Amino acid sequence: MMPNLSVLILTVLCMIVMLAKAALEVIGSSFGHSGTNAICVALNTLGYKTYHMKEILENRLTAHVETWHKLLKNGCDDKVASKALYKDLEYTAAVDFPTSACWEALMWVYPMAKIVHTQHKSGEDWYALASDSIISLVQKFPFNIFKHIDPYFICFTKMCDQLWGQIMKRPMEASLDPRFPHAYKDEIIAAYHTNN
């Protein structure tokens, strides 16, 4: 049985409109330090404008940090705030943290987006690389000083605490815990495996 031509035309038009309104076309589900920078470079080479944690840091996107803090605190459920983050500066792809902490919620916000995932051979390999860099960023010089005196980094630190809370599925104040990340190694690796 052939579908009604008007229904078919309406369906195609709806799909075109949805594509035109879907600002975010690619969502990275990978934890930071899992090849996300290489994916970012590749996507930019293909013509996408890609959102990455380095964008937040290098451009001191305070409003984004504040929005991410609220989003992560509330389980990434605010669709309007999620869209505003990417629409704001016309991003068409997003990889790395904090996006990857909310990738499942973002699938519902951008149902036409493609999901891209990369990973290390093992969670232990990933942890070995990430634990002394991105995981402990706010505890290393100069961030360990900035997080107490610079309003941007104070907010950034709160966002990072919410990020780890979202990833580990419980409240975290990683920036205040001198044992972080090493005392939580098994839990962090388990979260990495769960995401993969």
Side-chain angles (χ1 to χ4, degrees):
M1 179 173 192
M2 283 289 288
N4 183 326
L5 185 58
S6 60
V7 171
L8 185 61
I9 291 171
L10 183 59
T11 302
V12 170
L13 288 174
C14 286
M15 289 174 67
I16 291 169
V17 169
M18 285 176 65
L19 286 173
K21 291 185 176 186
L24 207 57
E25 298 173 36
V26 179
I27 299 169
S29 61
S30 311
F31 277 18
H33 226 302
S34 294
T36 57
N37 194 53
I39 294 293
C40 180
V41 170
L43 289 168
N44 287 340
T45 301
L46 292 171
Y48 293 94
K49 183 175 181 187
T50 309
Y51 191 85
H52 188 282
M53 177 69 89
K54 68 182 177 189
E55 295 286 319
I56 296 170
L57 281 168
E58 290 173 2
N59 298 308
R60 292 180 67 102
L61 300 176
T62 304
H64 285 226
V65 170
E66 291 168 348
T67 301
W68 276 115
H69 176 254
K70 291 175 191 165
L71 268 172
L72 292 160
K73 187 175 185 177
N74 296 313
C76 306
D77 285 337
D78 187 338
K79 290 181 180 183
V80 173
S82 295
K83 278 191 171 188
L85 282 166
Y86 306 109
K87 188 175 184 182
D88 175 17
L89 297 172
E90 299 178 352
Y91 290 100
T92 55
V95 297
D96 197 52
F97 292 139
T99 296
S100 61
C102 296
W103 74 269
E104 292 169 289
L106 289 169
M107 285 188 337
W108 296 102
V109 177
Y110 298 100
M112 301 300 284
K114 306 293 183 252
I115 305 300
V116 175
H117 188 81
T118 55
Q119 64 188 57
H120 280 275
K121 289 184 281 187
S122 71
E124 291 75 15
D125 287 348
W126 170 78
Y127 182 84
L129 293 170
S131 64
D132 287 324
S133 59
I134 64 165
I135 296 177
S136 57
L137 179 69
V138 297
Q139 294 170 324
K140 294 186 177 288
F141 181 81
F143 295 106
N144 62 339
I145 295 170
F146 292 162
K147 73 181 182 184
H148 297 290
I149 59 173
D150 182 295
Y152 171 78
F153 283 104
I154 291 169
C155 189
F156 181 82
T157 300
K158 290 177 183 176
M159 179 201 72
C160 288
D161 286 344
Q162 292 302 323
L163 171 73
W164 289 108
Q166 175 71 15
I167 288 168
M168 296 167 75
K169 307 294 186 219
R170 66 183 180 89
M172 283 291 298
E173 289 190 328
S175 64
L176 300 176
D177 188 343
R179 302 169 307 137
F180 188 85
H182 301 298
Y184 302 92
K185 178 181 177 181
D186 292 341
E187 190 176 353
I188 293 169
I189 290 172
Y192 176 84
H193 285 300
T194 299
N195 190 60
N196 292 326

